[in-house]
Amino acid sequence: MSHFVCHLEGSIDGTRLPADQVYGLHQGRPICVRYDLAAVRNAVSPEVIASRPPILWRYRELLPLPRQVEPVSLGEGMTPLLDCPRLGQRLGLRRLRIKDEAQLPTGSFKSRGMTVAVSMAKYLGIRRLALPTAGNAGGAAAAYAARAGIECFVFMPHDTPVVNQMEPVLFGAKAFRVNGLIHDCGRLVREAAPQMGWFDLSTLKEPYRLEGKKTMGLELAEQLGWRLPDVILYPTGGGTGLIGMWKAFAELRELGWLRCDHLPRLISCQAEGCAPIVRAFERGQRFADEFPNATTVASGLRVPVAVGDFLILDAIRASGGRAVCGAEAKIAFWMREASRLEGISICPETAICFDVLERLLADGTIDTDQEVIVFNTGAAQKYLEAFPIDLPKLDKAWPIERLLQVIQA
């Protein structure tokens, strides 16, 4: 383990656990990595980090893998933070940016968690991995497992987007469709693990995917000159990215690297067909009940129950943020609207964020002059089912008059 890691910690009760051992959950809840931040502060500075190659592993002192160990990597570059003036004008917002995670090696933010989790699995001697997936996690896990030479098993709902079904098979994983939702897939992984001898790589059921997702917050701060925006909108399924960013901001504040006094308000965005975090937030609950009959075309948001629910809700409330539903009927509209205005490949999960953003601007929760960041967590082309189109057909033998008539219609 990195010599900057001082211990692991049970998130539900603060129990300190020794590092360099294989862990899943503690008392049924996630485990977090804790660092000796005083030692990190003495070892590295923002200026030193800025001189390193623009890749995820530039933050090695705040990641758990020992410095002498080569990571399992596919070249995870820093994702661009893109100004969106036309989309901002459409919404009535002066300072809107999108952080485009679609440009990571496996086409989504899942690359971040998997490069760290699979690196740690290999380092700890794990030879078999298994996980449930609602979409992009399965392909990312399979890709990094292939890179590491580790066996991988993927279980997904039967109606998982077809590209996500294909990816694990392409990367050599053993993939299965299940007539249920992601938590049903997770139960199969959990129950078969003792006989199969695999390690459960499910969201937040091991400590290290969170550390990879944390780099979204580290990168964002660095790209903004070690300050933070006013508001972040984040599409929330299992919520690892939101939890990870909040952890990153806390670590940066303790390191003294932030050049701003405030932390951003976190807006957790869910689809109305699967909104356990929104429901718990509105009821003032710390733990979310399972959302019944979960359904949404934004497959990454179709998580009826999240093991890190209290961590998501704690972060939202500590930031002064909110959890808000977006309309299922607006997903295709916002995918197309945001994509055509800015040329960014917007996934359905992020489309929900723009419906939420429009609502929060309308009711005054977000001011038009605030700096707002929206995370685009994946590439639109992975979701063929979310945006059906019927292109006009042309005949090569048509006279030019008829061709122009069809084109100009």
Side-chain angles (χ1 to χ4, degrees):
M1 191 75 70
S2 166
H3 68 275
F4 294 106
V5 174
C6 51
H7 65 278
L8 305 182
E9 182 178 286
S11 61
I12 194 67
D13 60 4
T15 297
R16 293 169 69 104
L17 303 166
D20 257 343
Q21 296 183 26
V22 176
Y23 291 103
L25 298 173
H26 170 72
Q27 294 189 5
R29 292 293 181 172
I31 293 172
C32 297
V33 182
R34 300 300 179 197
Y35 299 85
D36 182 347
L37 294 176
V40 172
R41 190 185 307 113
N42 290 331
V44 70
S45 67
E47 292 74 23
V48 170
I49 287 174
S51 70
R52 295 173 177 172
I55 57 173
L56 178 148
W57 289 95
R58 71 202 270 116
Y59 305 110
R60 283 299 285 263
E61 290 81 4
L62 290 170
L63 293 172
L65 190 70
R67 287 297 298 268
Q68 71 275 15
V69 177
E70 187 71 21
V72 178
S73 175
L74 291 167
E76 306 75 30
M78 293 180 73
T79 60
L81 187 60
L82 301 169
D83 289 320
C84 296
R86 282 171 293 281
L87 181 56
Q89 185 178 33
R90 161 68 177 78
L91 289 160
L93 188 62
R94 295 187 183 92
R95 294 188 293 164
L96 173 64
R97 289 174 173 169
I98 292 175
K99 188 152 172 61
D100 190 15
E101 299 289 288
Q103 299 192 38
L104 284 162
T106 62
S108 86
F109 70 138
K110 299 293 185 180
S111 293
R112 293 184 185 273
M114 292 306 175
T115 183
V116 178
V118 175
S119 291
M120 288 301 299
K122 183 177 180 181
Y123 167 65
L124 292 169
I126 293 168
R127 303 304 306 160
R128 274 187 151 192
L129 302 171
L131 76 160
T133 180
N136 287 309
Y144 284 92
R147 188 76 167 160
I150 294 175
E151 197 173 5
C152 184
F153 296 76
V154 178
F155 298 80
M156 65 191 81
H158 64 96
D159 57 352
T160 294
V162 65
V163 174
N164 296 139
Q165 293 182 38
M166 179 198 73
E167 285 178 317
V169 178
L170 179 68
F171 294 123
K174 295 180 180 177
F176 307 89
R177 292 194 302 165
V178 178
N179 62 336
L181 299 178
I182 188 170
H183 62 301
D184 300 306
C185 299
R187 178 180 54 79
L188 296 180
V189 170
R190 183 173 64 252
E191 292 178 356
Q195 289 78 23
M196 293 299 298
W198 59 46
F199 181 73
D200 189 345
L201 202 65
S202 303
T203 299
L204 288 172
K205 291 187 179 178
E206 52 78 53
Y208 305 114
R209 282 177 66 177
L210 177 63
E211 294 304 293
K213 295 285 189 65
K214 178 181 76 176
T215 61
M216 287 191 291
L218 300 177
E219 267 187 33
L220 179 61
E222 183 179 359
Q223 287 171 317
L224 292 175
W226 300 104
R227 61 175 185 81
L228 296 171
D230 298 304
V231 183
I232 292 174
L233 285 92
Y234 191 83
T236 306
T240 317
L242 190 147
I243 298 165
M245 279 194 285
W246 195 244
K247 184 175 188 288
F249 300 154
E251 290 173 356
L252 291 174
R253 173 174 272 185
E254 188 171 340
L255 285 167
W257 291 2
L258 291 179
R259 296 172 182 168
C260 60
D261 297 327
H262 72 279
L263 297 182
R265 284 188 291 159
L266 301 178
I267 308 298
S268 171
C269 304
Q270 297 197 299
E272 58 192 359
C274 185
I277 300 302
V278 174
R279 183 172 290 181
F281 179 81
E282 291 174 346
R283 293 174 176 175
Q285 299 170 328
R286 192 181 183 212
F287 301 95
D289 298 325
E290 181 177 330
F291 197 90
N293 304 314
T295 178
T296 173
V297 72
S299 57
L301 301 184
R302 197 171 57 182
V303 181
V305 58
V307 69
D309 54 359
F310 69 104
L311 295 172
I312 302 168
L313 289 158
D314 286 353
I316 294 167
R317 290 177 175 131
S319 76
R322 290 178 59 182
V324 185
C325 281
E328 184 75 18
K330 298 298 286 290
I331 288 177
F333 169 81
W334 279 112
M335 285 181 72
R336 183 169 185 169
E337 189 76 351
S339 298
R340 77 170 184 86
L341 286 171
E342 297 295 349
I344 301 170
S345 179
I346 298 296
C347 67
E349 291 85 1
T350 298
I352 284 287
C353 293
F354 292 114
D355 188 46
V356 169
L357 179 54
E358 186 174 49
R359 296 179 189 206
L360 296 183
L361 285 162
D363 70 15
T365 300
I366 296 176
D367 295 332
T368 59
D369 61 349
Q370 289 188 306
E371 184 177 27
V372 175
I373 307 293
V374 176
F375 276 79
N376 184 40
T377 50
Q381 54 266 35
K382 290 190 143 194
Y383 300 84
L384 305 180
E385 299 85 350
F387 191 66
I389 57 171
D390 184 16
L391 296 178
K393 296 179 175 64
L394 306 178
D395 190 311
K396 63 182 181 181
W398 282 351
I400 189 63
E401 292 79 10
R402 187 173 181 190
L403 180 67
L404 292 175
Q405 185 181 27
V406 173
I407 291 173
Q408 294 171 355

